[in-house]
């Protein structure tokens, strides 16, 4: 529980304990966030590598060009679609 400002001024030991407890909680949360960022970065790298491999996979056409209806850059929020 966070002490009120007047309580902190009246009791420096309580203020120190309260701030130390809050710092420990924040350090724990920071560690969790760093782990989550690491996980997201690893997932982004994995997906990026998969996309690079898929772009370089032979398309089965004679000229090696993109398949009909494929787009390399559909733009943000838009997925590339292929019409069957």
């Amino acid at each position: 529980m966070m002490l009120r400002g007047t309580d902190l001024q009246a009791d420096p030991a309580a203020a120190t304990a309260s701030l130390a407890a809050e710092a420990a909680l924040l350090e724990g949360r920071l560690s969790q966030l760093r782990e989550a960022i690491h996980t997201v970065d690893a997932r982004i790298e994995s997906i990026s590598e998969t996309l690079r491999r898929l772009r370089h996979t032979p398309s089965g056409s004679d000229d090696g060009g993109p398949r009909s209806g494929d787009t390399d850059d559909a733009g943000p929020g838009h997925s590339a679609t292929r019409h069957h």
Side-chain angles (χ1 to χ4, degrees), residues 2-40:
M2 186 71 182
L3 297 174
R4 294 180 303 220
T6 55
D7 293 338
L8 293 176
Q9 293 172 352
D11 188 356
T16 300
S18 176
L19 291 173
E22 187 173 357
L25 289 172
L26 291 172
E27 286 176 352
R29 183 66 178 137
L30 180 59
S31 178
Q32 290 175 336
L33 291 171
R34 284 183 174 150
E35 288 177 25
I37 288 170
H38 176 73
T39 300
V40 169

Side-chain angles (χ1 to χ4, degrees), residues 29-66:
R29 183 66 178 137
L30 180 59
S31 178
Q32 290 175 336
L33 291 171
R34 284 183 174 150
E35 288 177 25
I37 288 170
H38 176 73
T39 300
V40 169
D41 283 345
R43 184 73 178 133
I44 288 171
E45 183 57 35
S46 173
I47 290 170
S48 295
E49 180 58 31
T50 299
L51 290 172
R52 280 190 290 273
R53 280 194 312 256
L54 289 173
R55 285 188 186 123
H56 293 95
T57 299
S59 64
S61 64
D62 293 348
D63 63 359

